[in-house]
Amino acid sequence: MAERAPGWPVEVLEALSVWPLKGRGTVVFDASYFLDNLQALLAEGRGPALLVGGASSLGLPSAIAAAELHRTLGGVKSPKLAELFMRARSHEFDACAIPDGPFTYEMLLEVSDGVASGLIDLTRASLSGPRRCCKIQAGPFGFMHAPRTWAHGAVLQNLEPAGEAELAGCRPGDVVLAANGVATLDAPLPEAAAALQSASQLLLEVVQPILEGPLYLHQASTAVVRELAGRDAEVAALGVIPRLSHLLDERRSLAGAADSEVGLSELRSRPTVFAGDGGSASRLHVDIVPRVQFCHVLHGMKLFAVESDAAAARPIKGRSPEVAFPVDLPLPNEEGGDFLAGPGVSVAACRADDVLCFWGGDRHCGANAMAEGPCIALFHDHEWPGRS
């Protein structure tokens, strides 16, 4: 495991080298047991549940999507996510007929519907390019905006053709450094949004980010899977929720239980895609609306941390406004090493074909391991009225 997460605590990696889960939680190898005992496995304080090889053992079509991704990406010599999206339009992943990197966010938005459908964490993108001032004379301004990181800043998206923002010189993917003199680069989302909406005119200082560091695309559509592995892989990804819902309905029927007794309501209709280079990581957070979360790993390896016992968890003393645990950077003890290694935090090592379940009301985060190519996973959730 050391080569997968060289920046993580040695004790965590040693534990994961012999068993795919450190701390509280359950590793399951029997699909029927998993379905029959899911609520008990995810009871408060129990930690996450990892079904090893779950896609295949449950007969989920995500196993097909995983196989297709392995077929298309397994032999790629330079498997950085930005480059893969640039190559994906021609479906020639080994071809050289693409611009030399690094690439800008705008370039990816131009070639990929999958990238445009989601959000990109630009924490480790370079903002060293030329800064521009764009004066938008009147509303409507003709743009939408997304977070620059997981919870801070603003990035321009969906510019209206020939709209006020485009005419003023704004470009898709621009990071907003300031709006009418108000700094927005590291502003919390409500403050950044207010700065972009509170005046009849806007003077924006912007820069186009250069995607040099590990890329993390999140909350994207299954177009990502289609672009990287073909239409059949996307169809398989879209079939995961109906198939799992059918399996749970069968179990409910066999048990003779009413919906209220089972407690797990209907699944969402479509999964979202999270795709990241090794070294990219999500922030430690609690879901705004807590639900039972399902993670289906399709490619690569994801390390997932869940705070299963908040009282026993060690404090984090770092000053970062968004706590994350990238695997490729040194992780000082006071900035998260002790937290990951402590008794209150469970860490699961999830590989392609595995299914991980956890309660979104517990603090959690994911880190994409250093592997052959990016980590690509499907996420979806259940409402669970029995927990809050």
Side-chain angles (χ1 to χ4, degrees), residues 17-217:
S17 295
V18 296
W19 191 245
L21 181 65
K22 167 259 173 191
R24 295 186 186 183
T26 310
V27 179
V28 183
F29 296 92
D30 184 278
S32 294
Y33 181 88
F34 178 81
L35 291 173
D36 291 338
N37 297 278
L38 183 57
Q39 286 193 93
L41 293 172
L42 297 177
E44 186 171 358
R46 289 286 301 270
L50 175 63
L51 179 59
V52 177
S56 294
S57 62
L58 289 169
L60 299 179
S62 50
I64 299 173
E68 288 298 302
L69 281 164
H70 179 74
R71 179 182 62 81
T72 58
L73 303 183
V76 177
K77 296 179 181 178
S78 180
K80 288 292 185 181
L81 197 56
E83 185 172 340
L84 291 175
F85 281 119
M86 294 298 295
R87 297 180 186 275
R89 176 165 287 187
S90 65
H91 301 289
E92 296 293 337
F93 291 103
D94 289 321
C96 296
I98 62 170
D100 292 333
F103 310 106
T104 66
Y105 192 5
E106 181 182 23
M107 293 170 69
L108 260 64
L109 289 169
E110 287 176 350
V111 303
S112 171
D113 292 337
V115 170
S117 73
L119 304 172
I120 284 186
D121 174 25
L122 297 172
T123 301
R124 295 174 68 178
S126 170
L127 302 180
S128 61
R131 299 188 175 193
R132 313 185 319 275
C133 287
C134 304
K135 187 173 183 179
I136 306 177
Q137 300 285 358
F141 299 135
F143 66 80
M144 299 180 68
H145 61 89
R148 179 183 71 88
T149 66
W150 293 85
H152 292 80
V155 177
L156 301 185
Q157 290 186 342
N158 300 323
L159 271 64
E160 179 184 339
E164 294 291 333
E166 187 175 87
L167 293 174
C170 296
R171 291 153 47 190
D174 276 345
V175 170
V176 181
L177 303 174
N180 291 341
V182 177
T184 54
L185 181 65
D186 294 313
L189 293 184
E191 295 179 17
L196 293 172
Q197 298 168 359
S198 60
S200 58
Q201 295 183 341
L202 281 178
L203 178 62
L204 301 182
E205 182 182 4
V206 299
V207 63
Q208 183 64 213
I210 301 170
L211 306 176
E212 292 181 330
L215 183 70
Y216 202 171
L217 172 66

Side-chain angles (χ1 to χ4, degrees), residues 262-282:
V262 174
L264 294 176
S265 65
E266 287 299 315
L267 290 159
R268 289 189 173 186
S269 59
R270 288 174 177 263
T272 56
V273 178
F274 285 56
D277 290 319
S280 59
S282 65

Side-chain angles (χ1 to χ4, degrees), residues 315-337:
I316 301 171
K317 299 178 182 179
R319 298 180 180 180
S320 172
E322 294 183 273
V323 176
F325 308 115
V327 302
D328 62 331
L329 298 177
L331 191 62
N333 286 337
E334 66 274 12
E335 295 184 3

Side-chain angles (χ1 to χ4, degrees), residues 245-297:
S245 184
H246 174 71
L247 291 172
L248 291 171
D249 284 343
E250 278 189 334
R251 281 302 197 270
R252 183 186 299 120
S253 177
L254 290 172
D259 288 352
S260 60
E261 293 174 308
V262 174
L264 294 176
S265 65
E266 287 299 315
L267 290 159
R268 289 189 173 186
S269 59
R270 288 174 177 263
T272 56
V273 178
F274 285 56
D277 290 319
S280 59
S282 65
R283 68 187 178 102
L284 185 66
H285 69 288
V286 173
D287 293 345
I288 296 174
V289 180
R291 296 186 174 99
V292 174
Q293 294 286 345
F294 285 78
C295 170
H296 306 254
V297 178

